[in-house]
Amino acid sequence: MMDSCEGARKGIEEVKLKEDGNVSAQYESCQLPITCFTEIANDASLHFQIIQFPKQIYVWVGYTSAKLGNLCAAAHTRPNNNVSITSLIGGTSDNTGSGLARRLVLKTGLNVILACNIPKNSPMIEAEAEKILVQKLNSLGYGKSRLEGTSV
């Protein structure tokens, strides 16, 4: 997993450098925190990658393999501050990723882009992945309590 994190960092830096052309200034200013880790749950490996942007997070959850899976986006919408979700890649019949993204928005207050390849009818694995992910996001300072006084 660490190789893919380094590859993502390098790719982001290359895109920024091509846009600006200022190598030293761009290198120091475009550092996005990337967190990668693996946990064992229900006798299977759950792989996680979190890329932290200023007002949103990208999360990838892999189950036993490094496939991308379905990709969805979730965010608070006005005027009632409900959570809206859309599927970007993958079918609409599988709501595993969209449900997880919706709950992450509610628990963190951030916009969430989520790629998930948890099997469709595995609520125990999904619940365990959510629990692990929320604990990690809280440890990174992205819990809702930190953001309650701010406007999203």
Side-chain angles (χ1 to χ4, degrees):
M1 264 333 253
M2 291 308 293
D3 290 339
S4 64
C5 289
E6 290 299 319
R9 283 190 185 109
K10 188 179 249 184
I12 291 169
E13 291 170 7
E14 288 174 1
V15 168
K16 291 290 186 179
L17 291 175
K18 286 179 184 177
E19 289 176 358
D20 190 21
N22 185 351
V23 176
S24 60
Q26 279 303 128
Y27 180 76
E28 292 176 10
S29 67
C30 74
Q31 296 295 321
L32 292 174
I34 299 174
T35 305
C36 301
F37 62 99
T38 298
E39 295 282 337
I40 304 297
N42 297 332
D43 297 327
S45 298
L46 285 171
H47 308 285
F48 299 88
Q49 181 180 49
I50 303 167
I51 301 176
Q52 303 166 39
F53 294 92
K55 294 184 181 180
Q56 71 180 11
I57 54 174
Y58 166 83
V59 177
W60 170 75
V61 180
Y63 178 72
T64 68
S65 69
K67 293 181 181 176
L68 178 66
N70 295 335
L71 182 67
C72 60
H76 282 284
T77 53
R78 297 177 196 254
N80 297 333
N81 216 19
N82 293 329
V83 177
S84 295
I85 307 150
T86 188
S87 178
L88 302 173
I89 299 174
T92 56
S93 64
D94 183 4
N95 63 357
T96 303
S98 61
L100 182 55
R102 180 185 173 281
R103 291 187 299 275
L104 287 175
V105 169
L106 292 172
K107 291 179 181 182
T108 64
L110 298 170
N111 297 335
V112 174
I113 307 294
L114 177 83
C116 177
N117 77 344
I118 295 174
K120 185 175 183 176
N121 295 320
S122 303
M124 296 301 290
I125 296 169
E126 181 180 356
E128 189 65 27
E130 181 177 349
K131 177 182 164 189
I132 293 167
L133 195 51
V134 168
Q135 287 174 348
K136 181 57 101 172
L137 288 171
N138 285 336
S139 74
L140 293 171
Y142 281 98
K144 181 99 174 191
S145 60
R146 180 182 77 90
L147 298 171
E148 282 178 343
T150 64
S151 173
V152 178

